[in-house]
Amino acid sequence: EKYKSIRRENSATESSIITALAELYLEAGNPDKSEEYYRQALALQPEDPGIMNNLAYFLIDNDRDINEGLELTENELKTNPDNYKYLHTKGWGLFKQGKIKESYETLQKSCDLRRQNAIYNNEAFLHLEEARKAATTLKSE
C-alpha cells in the first residue's frame, strides 16, 4: 500500500502501478500473484496494447497459457503488424509451441526491426539465437 501511495503521489496511473506490482511479484517468485496483477491492469485498460503484451509475454514466458498469450499477441499485431515487441512475444510463443521455423522467422523480423530503430534487447537476442540453433538442427536432420 505504501508503494501504491508513493506512485500515486508521483502521478502514476493505476494501471502502471498494478503492472509494476505484477513485475515485482514475478521477481519475488510469486507468478500466481503476478498473473493476478497483470490481469487487473488489463481489466482497467483492456484496449492498451502494451498492457496486453505484458500479460501475453508473461503467459508465454512462464508457460502459464501459451495459447492465450498468442491470442492476445495476434490481436495486437492486427493493428500494429511491425511492432518488434509484439513480434518478439509471438515468436517466443511459437517457439514454446515447437513451431521452430515460424518462430525463427518471426523472431528474426523482430530483431531486424529493433536494429532499424537502434534498440537492443539481450533477452530478445537470446531467444533468436535459441530459435536459430533449433532451426539449424531441424535442417540437418
Side-chain angles (χ1 to χ4, degrees):
E1 290 305 313
K2 185 174 182 176
Y3 174 79
K4 288 180 185 180
S5 176
I6 291 169
R7 292 286 311 268
R8 284 184 190 113
E9 287 172 13
N10 291 313
S11 302
T13 65
E14 197 64 25
S15 62
S16 70
I17 294 169
I18 291 171
T19 298
L21 287 170
E23 292 164 2
L24 288 170
Y25 275 107
L26 184 60
E27 289 293 321
N30 190 337
D32 292 336
K33 200 72 168 166
S34 181
E35 182 174 346
E36 178 185 324
Y37 278 104
Y38 277 126
R39 290 188 184 283
Q40 281 181 27
L42 187 59
L44 283 174
Q45 290 186 263
E47 300 302 317
D48 185 305
I51 294 172
M52 198 176 298
N53 189 60
N54 288 339
L55 175 59
Y57 189 80
F58 168 82
L59 293 171
I60 291 167
D61 195 48
N62 293 283
D63 298 314
R64 305 283 287 190
D65 191 335
I66 295 167
N67 291 331
E68 181 185 359
L70 282 170
E71 286 174 28
L72 290 168
T73 300
E74 286 297 335
N75 287 335
E76 298 165 24
L77 286 167
K78 286 177 188 172
T79 57
N80 199 348
D82 289 329
N83 183 295
Y84 58 84
K85 290 179 183 179
Y86 307 158
L87 287 166
H88 173 236
T89 299
K90 178 182 179 179
W92 190 231
L94 293 169
F95 184 83
K96 293 248 182 168
Q97 286 184 328
K99 297 176 182 175
I100 303 303
K101 184 177 185 288
E102 190 179 354
S103 166
Y104 174 67
E105 291 168 356
T106 305
L107 289 168
Q108 183 65 61
K109 182 176 180 181
S110 172
C111 186
D112 291 345
L113 289 166
R114 281 180 192 277
R115 265 192 235 127
Q116 287 174 12
N117 293 294
I119 298 170
Y120 178 77
N121 179 290
N122 194 58
E123 185 174 32
F125 174 76
L126 293 174
H127 288 165
L128 174 62
E129 287 302 303
E130 193 170 345
R132 183 188 330 264
K133 287 176 187 172
T136 302
T137 301
L138 283 178
K139 286 180 185 176
S140 65
E141 291 179 355

